[in-house]
Amino acid sequence: MTEKERVTITIPADSAAMLRKLAQEKRIESVSAYVTEAVEERLGREERARRIIEGWAAEVERTSPKEWAKALEWAQTSDRRGNNAGAAA
């Protein structure tokens, strides 16, 4: 069984009410289970996107070094977090 941790989240009142109603009607297992599933789905999409981007970056870096350098420069100047952008492959 996966270890669980309690977290507090804030969602729009209408969404919270709908989730409680669905749980009461037994249309969903629970609000927590529903939110967990949605989070896991989103995390999975983020991970798949990261792998696709990293694969693309590695390919461009290998096949088009000049284009890669331009893309990396753009990413570094565009990223508010600093020079860690584009550190893909």
Side-chain angles (χ1 to χ4, degrees), residues 13-46:
D14 290 348
S15 297
M18 180 58 80
L19 287 172
R20 284 189 198 101
K21 181 179 179 201
L22 292 171
Q24 279 181 329
E25 294 172 353
K26 305 287 188 217
R27 293 173 54 195
I28 62 173
E29 181 183 344
S30 67
V31 171
S32 290
Y34 187 91
V35 171
T36 297
E37 183 179 329
V39 168
E40 293 298 321
E41 252 181 58
R42 175 69 184 263
L43 290 173
R45 284 195 314 268
E46 295 286 335

Side-chain angles (χ1 to χ4, degrees), residues 72-80 82-83 85:
L72 185 58
E73 181 181 350
W74 174 85
Q76 288 173 336
T77 58
S78 299
D79 187 7
R80 291 185 212 137
N83 289 335

